[in-house]
Amino acid sequence: MSGGGTQKSLRKALGAIKDTTTVSLAKVNSDYKELDIAIVKATNHVERPAKEKYMRAIFAAVSATRPRADVAYCIHALARRLSKTHNWAVALKTLIVIHRALREVDPTFQEELINYGRSRNHMLNLAHFKDDSSPNAWDYSAWVRTYALFLEERLECFRVLKYDVETDRA
């Protein structure tokens, strides 16, 4: 019966190896090294909240003071992270990064995110996302799908209304 614990430990170790490998590759192959590293570290496989310093690095990369190409690259990197993962913690953390950026960064980020989604068939469409590594992961997957749908609907409201309904909630 201890096979489940061994499998869970192995899965966590593999997640850590994937994250370490991705960070190493970013250091060698990326024009946006610091941003790629911040994204991987903010959305790693560890089941804990992301460190604020990585979140701030991502928010700085998508601010209005940055070139639009930098913002587009960041959105692309987040979308890639979201589309390639089968781990609920990575998907949830990526969605949290996006949600916090929508709340804490200027509206140009929302516009860029909408444009990216329109040209690439909605990056937040996680209708088929599932992490079947454990019964809890299966439940978390349902929550990830619902959270992604909420963010997608929020973006759609912003696109149609040209107004963010959460801005007046302070």
Side-chain angles (χ1 to χ4, degrees), residues 70-84:
D70 290 4
V71 177
Y73 178 83
C74 184
I75 292 170
H76 173 73
L78 289 167
R80 184 178 60 231
R81 186 86 168 145
L82 198 54
S83 69
K84 290 185 179 252

Side-chain angles (χ1 to χ4, degrees), residues 104-121:
E104 298 174 30
V105 180
D106 59 275
T108 57
F109 174 73
Q110 290 176 322
E111 292 165 6
E112 291 290 331
L113 196 58
I114 289 167
N115 291 337
Y116 183 90
R118 256 193 273 172
S119 67
R120 291 178 182 73
N121 202 14

Side-chain angles (χ1 to χ4, degrees), residues 3-167:
T6 304
Q7 182 180 10
K8 187 174 181 180
S9 297
L10 181 61
R11 187 165 167 86
K12 283 185 178 186
L14 287 173
I17 290 169
K18 281 184 192 176
D19 291 338
T20 303
T21 304
T22 305
V23 167
S24 298
L25 288 172
K27 288 179 181 177
V28 175
N29 294 333
S30 177
D31 292 334
Y32 294 91
K33 290 177 178 61
E34 292 82 15
L35 177 58
D36 282 332
I37 291 167
I39 289 171
V40 172
K41 289 191 174 193
T43 63
N44 63 20
H45 288 75
V46 179
E47 295 174 12
R48 283 192 211 111
K51 290 186 179 177
E52 193 62 25
K53 69 179 183 178
Y54 302 124
M55 299 292 277
R56 292 283 158 219
I58 295 167
F59 296 164
V62 296
S63 72
T65 60
R66 300 295 299 222
R68 294 297 88 191
D70 290 4
V71 177
Y73 178 83
C74 184
I75 292 170
H76 173 73
L78 289 167
R80 184 178 60 231
R81 186 86 168 145
L82 198 54
S83 69
K84 290 185 179 252
T85 191
H86 297 286
N87 181 280
W88 69 268
V90 173
L92 180 61
K93 286 179 173 185
T94 305
L95 293 173
I96 289 170
V97 168
I98 292 167
H99 190 187
R100 282 196 54 196
L102 288 170
R103 292 179 57 105
E104 298 174 30
V105 180
D106 59 275
T108 57
F109 174 73
Q110 290 176 322
E111 292 165 6
E112 291 290 331
L113 196 58
I114 289 167
N115 291 337
Y116 183 90
R118 256 193 273 172
S119 67
R120 291 178 182 73
N121 202 14
H122 302 286
M123 73 179 262
L124 296 174
N125 182 0
L126 297 180
H128 302 292
F129 176 82
K130 69 176 179 175
D131 178 344
D132 54 6
S133 62
S134 72
N136 282 345
W138 184 259
D139 291 340
Y140 300 147
S141 295
W143 202 90
V144 165
R145 289 189 301 272
T146 304
Y147 188 31
L149 182 61
F150 161 75
L151 292 176
E152 187 76 36
E153 289 294 322
R154 181 174 172 203
L155 281 173
E156 183 62 16
C157 287
F158 180 80
R159 185 186 70 76
V160 171
L161 301 173
K162 299 291 184 228
Y163 173 75
D164 185 4
V165 293
E166 284 194 16
T167 55

